[in-house]
């Protein structure tokens, strides 16, 4: 069992947990994730490790409520226990000194981007970070990203903070302005796809962090397979980071929708039950 | 002398009409009386060929005689000397290729062999229901880490605990058992039985830590430093894909994913359990092994309208257990022999609609001695399908091996271990089961586990003796 040691509601729909998991905290690197199962009837869901505190044996997770399991996870307040937390899984981000790097995060993807921002800054890069969200009140980790960025650009759909517009617009500006040696984009599939297009247009290699459906997260089933450079890769062991230019985006985004009927059914049933209680 | 029945004593099984809609165990097992009747068919051969064809060499005539005498306690004591997992092996061993193939009675043509597997199961089930009190064994001979809790790891752990070692088993998944839990379905191997067998190994003082991925959560080097010896029994669980066009369409599964969703995650009980699975309508399974049978029969139980298995050779070469093949036919599974898929076809939403296949003919024998299937030009045809499951074999999972290059592997990516001693390129690290042999059987994995336990005991005993003589 893995104890939740701190719980916070960050925005209307996003939550933060600190979980007691000393072994994972000791070893996790930027870009890695855990698989969580809450209870005996639960499913296994992958969530990126946002931060670790190896001294106290804690890991930090930020997630958005999008369905039954995340809604249920949002009920795990301080002191409650998760049945399974497995990790750190996946291949860590290739952290090194590239020169100048551009990092782009959208929505809850910012939580997955943050450890990379921090890691790249500590590795001596000049870090330019672009964060995007619908509006100010759901733009998470602003101060933390600012701390490890030489320049922080905020983009919102409604202009409530930073500039009004999409993260790709900010990317265009940066690429037109200066030489970028390596880029990252983490967020919804559609955002990563467009970020890849923009970066490719400017001949800048861009890493994306793919979030396909996973079961075991250890290379045992191939549920998370993606086609990269015409080869089948398992996102859980070969990724989750891949160079965006090689990703078969159509098949990746289609496979994300494989269980939407069942996902909707489970969520509706859960919400109904919660209303009754 | 009593006249021997030509045929095996019939065993109760669920009716095919009923069982193809549920996941409950198909074969219901002998009663004690039926068991005694079947045991009385054994000739008690002096040269006991059956025993020589059991990978762990169980004293088969010995335990069968005890059943015949009605001495179940005696029978269990004999099996316990050789096997830690009788209730499992009695159910899933391919006996027709092992003990029962060698049975003198069966070799006489007129007679069916003694139902050795079903008798082993009877004794082991009785044993689980009538457990002996656990003897407390001091664990002071050394500390051993076992990586993987499948049949070979559990065997090593059980044997070493009995010999007086403190054993910790590390398992990546949430539930121990390996393929016994995520691979072989409930209708062949009830999970309650697996759990009881594993609890018994725990009762011997074995510690099982789940949710630990060696290579990620803890490194192999740390285990080598912290323990007196290690056993690597991580299996061969990484799925192969044929990589034909359309592999990423929705509806195309590896058998590993399909069976893991069903067995480990209980997706057939969705939404009571949270893990979904696509509704089975028209299902095509590719392959001819036990995994293919398990996938096809599971799809039928999920309510499929039709399930067909396509296999590139013919029935004669089918690697699956013959009993399971017969069960599958009774349950309505159809077969396309000498057929291979060439592409998956899908609609504009990325959903599978059919499997394009080609007919094969058998050519010259290959290195395995089986005739090699060769495609017949122009014989392509389409089987409509909403689900396709590839059960074409698995390979070594690289997660642990890639983080521990000291452990030498062979050209197929399996651990290079001496099959007689389970020793690897790293002193004190032993390996066995599918990670050494490639995907094989439960009983072979157990056999490797028994050898490894003996070798690990010798290795630590020698090391301790050397240390003692040095310090003296």
């Amino acid at each position: 069992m893995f104890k939740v040691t701190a719980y916070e509601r960050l925005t209307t729909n996003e939550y933060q947990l600190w979980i007691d998991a000393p072994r994972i905290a000791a070893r996790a690197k930027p870009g890695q994730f855990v698989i969580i199962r809450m209870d005996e009837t639960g499913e296994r869901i992958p969530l990126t490790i946002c931060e670790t505190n190896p001294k106290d044996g804690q890991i930090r997770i930020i997630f958005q409520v999008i369905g039954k399991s995340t809604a249920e996870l949002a009920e795990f307040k301080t002191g409650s226990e998760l049945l399974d937390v497995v990790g750190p899984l996946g291949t860590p981000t290739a952290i090194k000194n590239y020169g100048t790097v551009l990092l782009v995060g959208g929505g809850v993807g910012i939580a997955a981007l943050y450890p990379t921002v921090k890691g790249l800054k500590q590795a001596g890069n000049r870090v330019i970070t672009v964060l995007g969200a619908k509006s100010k009140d759901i733009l998470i980790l602003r101060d933390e990203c600012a701390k490890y960025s030489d320049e922080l650009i905020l983009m919102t759909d409604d202009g409530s903070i930073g500039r009004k517009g999409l993260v790709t617009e900010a990317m265009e500006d940066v690429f037109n302005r200066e030489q970028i040696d390596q880029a990252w984009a983490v967020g919804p599939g559609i955002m990563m796809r467009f970020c890849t297009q923009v970066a490719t247009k400017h001949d800048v290699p861009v890493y994306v962090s793919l979030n396909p459906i996973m079961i075991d997260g250890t290379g045992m089933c191939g549920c998370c397979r993606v086609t990269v450079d015409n080869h089948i890769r398992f996102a859980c062991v070969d990724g989750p980071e891949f160079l965006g230019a090689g990703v078969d985006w159509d098949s990746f985004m289609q496979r994300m929708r494989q269980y939407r009927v069942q996902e909707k059914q489970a969520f509706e049933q859960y919400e109904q039950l919660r209303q009754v209680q | 002398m009593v006249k021997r029945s030509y045929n095996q004593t019939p065993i109760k099984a669920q009716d095919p009409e009923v069982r193809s809609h549920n996941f409950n165990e198909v074969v219901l097992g002998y009663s004690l009386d039926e068991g005694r009747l079947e045991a009385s068919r054994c000739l008690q051969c002096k040269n006991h060929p059956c025993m020589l064809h059991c990978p762990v060499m169980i004293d088969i005539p010995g335990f069968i005689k005890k059943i015949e005498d009605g001495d179940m306690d005696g029978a269990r004591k004999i099996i316990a000397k050789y096997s830690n997992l009788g209730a499992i092996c009695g159910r899933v061993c391919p006996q027709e290729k092992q003990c029962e193939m060698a049975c003198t009675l069966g070799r006489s043509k007129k007679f069916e062999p003694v139902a050795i597997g079903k008798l082993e199961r009877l004794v082991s089930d009785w044993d689980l229901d009538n457990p002996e009190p656990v003897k407390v064994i001091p664990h002071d001979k050394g500390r051993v880490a076992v990586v993987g809790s499948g049949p070979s790891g559990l065997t090593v752990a059980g044997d070493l605990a009995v010999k007086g070692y403190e054993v910790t088993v590390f398992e990546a998944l949430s539930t121990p058992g390996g393929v016994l839990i995520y691979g072989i379905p409930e209708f062949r191997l009830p999970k309650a039985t697996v759990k009881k067998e594993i609890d018994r190994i725990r009762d011997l003082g074995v510690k099982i830590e789940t949710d630990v991925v060696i290579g990620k959560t803890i490194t192999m080097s740390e285990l080598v430093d912290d323990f007196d010896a290690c056993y690597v029994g991580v299996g061969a669980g990484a799925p192969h894909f044929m990589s034909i066009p359309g592999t990423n369409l929705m509806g195309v599964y590896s058998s590993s994913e399909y069976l893991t969703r069903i067995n480990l995650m209980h997706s057939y009980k969705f939404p009571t359990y949270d893990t979904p699975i696509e509704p089975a309508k028209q299902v095509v399974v590719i392959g001819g092994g036990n995994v293919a049978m398990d996938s096809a029969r599971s799809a039928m139980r999920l309510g499929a309208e039709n399930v067909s298995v396509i296999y590139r050779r013919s029935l004669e070469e089918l690697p699956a257990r013959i009993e399971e093949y017969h069960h599958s036919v009774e349950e309505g599974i159809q077969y396309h022999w000498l057929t291979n898929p060439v592409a998956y076809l899908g609609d504009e939403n990325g959903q599978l609609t059919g499997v394009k296949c080609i007919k094969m003919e058998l050519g010259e024998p290959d290195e395995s001695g089986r005739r090699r299937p060769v495609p017949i030009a122009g014989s392509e045809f389409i089987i409509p399908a909403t689900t396709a499951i590839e059960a074409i074999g698995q390979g070594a999972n690289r997660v642990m091996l890639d983080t521990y290059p000291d452990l030498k592997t062979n050209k197929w990516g399996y651990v290079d271990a001496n099959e007689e001693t389970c020793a690897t390129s790293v002193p004190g690290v032993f390996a066995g089961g599918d990670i050494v042999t490639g995907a094989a059987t439960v009983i072979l994995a157990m056999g490797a586990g028994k050898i490894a336990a003996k070798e690990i005991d010798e290795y630590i005993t020698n090391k301790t003796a050397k240390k003692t003589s040095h310090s003296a």
Side-chain angles (χ1 to χ4, degrees), chain B residues 198-317:
Chain B
I198 292 174
D199 283 347
R200 213 159 47 161
I201 287 168
R202 277 202 174 101
D203 289 343
L204 296 170
V206 171
K207 204 163 122 196
I208 303 181
E209 289 200 38
T210 53
D211 294 333
V212 179
V213 185
I214 299 301
K216 294 283 184 188
T217 314
I218 305 176
T219 64
M220 193 64 207
S221 323
E222 284 176 291
L223 290 191
V224 171
D225 291 345
D226 291 354
F227 290 84
D228 296 304
C230 299
Y231 179 75
V232 175
V234 295
H240 291 157
F241 286 94
M242 303 186 82
S243 294
I244 57 176
T247 303
N248 284 353
L249 288 168
M250 289 185 281
V252 180
Y253 290 86
S254 75
S255 53
S256 312
E257 181 190 345
Y258 202 71
L259 293 175
T260 299
R261 281 182 183 271
I262 293 172
N263 297 326
L264 181 71
M265 305 312 294
H266 300 92
S267 60
Y268 62 98
K269 295 183 197 155
F270 179 87
T272 305
Y273 283 75
D274 292 337
T275 306
I277 193 156
E278 274 194 24
K281 288 177 214 144
Q282 298 158 308
V283 182
V284 170
V285 178
I286 297 130
N290 287 319
V291 177
M293 304 295 111
D294 288 343
S295 303
R297 299 173 69 198
S298 296
M300 194 56 110
R301 283 159 171 78
L302 287 174
E305 290 156 18
N306 56 66
V307 180
S308 40
V309 172
I310 62 179
Y311 181 51
R312 63 199 180 114
R313 304 180 200 248
S314 53
L315 174 58
E316 210 175 303
E317 292 89 15

Side-chain angles (χ1 to χ4, degrees), chain A residues 23 27 68 84 221 227 259, chain B residues 211 222 248 253-254 274:
Chain A
R23 281 171 174 163
R27 205 163 292 283
K68 189 207 163 177
D84 300 295
C221 81
T227 300
Y259 295 100
Chain B
D211 294 333
E222 284 176 291
N248 284 353
Y253 290 86
S254 75
D274 292 337

Side-chain angles (χ1 to χ4, degrees), chain B residues 77-128:
Chain B
K77 287 200 164 76
I78 292 175
I79 291 180
K81 271 195 240 167
Y82 304 89
S83 169
N84 301 323
L85 306 167
I88 291 163
C89 289
R91 286 173 167 85
V92 303
C93 271
Q95 288 99 4
E96 75 271 14
K97 291 173 188 162
Q98 297 172 345
C99 54
E100 292 180 20
M101 181 185 77
C103 172
T104 311
L105 198 62
R107 292 177 72 91
S108 75
K109 303 288 179 206
K110 271 171 131 179
F111 289 85
E112 286 182 345
V114 175
I116 300 167
K118 296 190 169 71
L119 290 175
E120 180 188 23
R121 168 190 166 154
L122 169 69
V123 174
S124 303
D125 282 357
W126 181 88
D127 178 33
L128 290 174

Side-chain angles (χ1 to χ4, degrees), chain A residues 2 23-24 27 32 37 39-44 68-69 72 83-92 213 215-216 218-223 225-227 232 234 237 248 251 254-255 257-259 262-263 265-266 269, chain B residues 170 172-175 182 209-213 215-219 222 237-239 241 243 247-254 256-257 260-261 264-265 270-279 347-350 397 399:
Chain A
F2 297 81
R23 281 171 174 163
I24 303 172
R27 205 163 292 283
Q32 291 190 298
R37 187 174 69 135
D39 52 37
E40 217 34 70
T41 56
E43 63 180 335
R44 297 166 68 92
K68 189 207 163 177
S69 291
E72 215 174 352
L83 186 55
D84 300 295
V85 180
V86 194
L89 300 171
T91 303
I213 302 173
I215 306 281
D216 63 288
T218 62
M220 295 279 291
C221 81
C223 175
R225 66 188 181 275
V226 289
T227 300
I232 291 179
F234 292 179
V237 292
D248 178 346
S251 101
Q254 262 169 2
R255 285 181 64 80
R257 297 194 294 267
Q258 186 162 11
Y259 295 100
Q262 290 95 331
E263 284 161 3
Q265 182 196 350
Q269 192 177 322
Chain B
F170 296 99
L173 290 174
S174 51
T175 315
Y182 71 76
E209 289 200 38
T210 53
D211 294 333
V212 179
V213 185
K216 294 283 184 188
T217 314
I218 305 176
T219 64
E222 284 176 291
F241 286 94
S243 294
T247 303
N248 284 353
L249 288 168
M250 289 185 281
V252 180
Y253 290 86
S254 75
S256 312
E257 181 190 345
T260 299
R261 281 182 183 271
L264 181 71
M265 305 312 294
F270 179 87
T272 305
Y273 283 75
D274 292 337
T275 306
I277 193 156
E278 274 194 24
D347 63 17
E348 65 282 5
N349 299 319
N397 188 319
V399 169

Side-chain angles (χ1 to χ4, degrees), chain B residues 19-226:
Chain B
R19 74 177 190 236
S20 58
H21 302 288
N22 70 50
F23 276 85
N24 301 334
E25 191 169 24
V26 168
V27 177
L28 301 171
Y30 282 143
S31 67
L32 292 180
D33 285 342
E34 288 162 345
R36 287 182 74 172
L37 183 64
E38 181 60 18
S40 71
R41 293 179 68 235
C42 175
L43 300 171
Q44 292 292 320
C45 311
K46 288 279 176 294
N47 61 344
H48 43 66
C50 52
M51 189 173 160
L52 305 176
H53 282 79
C54 166
V56 295
M57 303 230 327
I58 295 178
D59 174 8
I60 292 167
F63 88 77
I64 290 185
K65 186 78 184 66
K66 296 287 181 193
I67 299 176
E68 193 184 348
D69 296 346
D71 177 8
M72 293 302 280
D73 185 55
R76 92 155 121 211
K77 287 200 164 76
I78 292 175
I79 291 180
K81 271 195 240 167
Y82 304 89
S83 169
N84 301 323
L85 306 167
I88 291 163
C89 289
R91 286 173 167 85
V92 303
C93 271
Q95 288 99 4
E96 75 271 14
K97 291 173 188 162
Q98 297 172 345
C99 54
E100 292 180 20
M101 181 185 77
C103 172
T104 311
L105 198 62
R107 292 177 72 91
S108 75
K109 303 288 179 206
K110 271 171 131 179
F111 289 85
E112 286 182 345
V114 175
I116 300 167
K118 296 190 169 71
L119 290 175
E120 180 188 23
R121 168 190 166 154
L122 169 69
V123 174
S124 303
D125 282 357
W126 181 88
D127 178 33
L128 290 174
D129 293 338
N130 302 277
E132 282 188 291
V134 183
K135 279 184 233 123
V136 181
I137 311 152
H139 294 134
D140 51 9
K141 286 178 71 181
R143 298 175 69 237
V144 179
V146 173
V147 186
S149 68
S152 82
L154 291 173
T155 301
V156 171
D159 279 15
L160 286 174
V162 171
K163 287 183 206 284
Y165 290 91
E166 185 191 326
V167 185
T168 309
V169 179
F170 296 99
E171 167 56 47
L173 290 174
S174 51
T175 315
V179 75
L180 308 172
I181 285 293
Y182 71 76
I184 305 174
E186 181 79 18
F187 55 82
R188 268 205 309 135
L189 181 63
K191 301 307 150 212
T193 304
V194 178
K195 189 176 177 298
K196 275 192 220 165
E197 297 254 44
I198 292 174
D199 283 347
R200 213 159 47 161
I201 287 168
R202 277 202 174 101
D203 289 343
L204 296 170
V206 171
K207 204 163 122 196
I208 303 181
E209 289 200 38
T210 53
D211 294 333
V212 179
V213 185
I214 299 301
K216 294 283 184 188
T217 314
I218 305 176
T219 64
M220 193 64 207
S221 323
E222 284 176 291
L223 290 191
V224 171
D225 291 345
D226 291 354

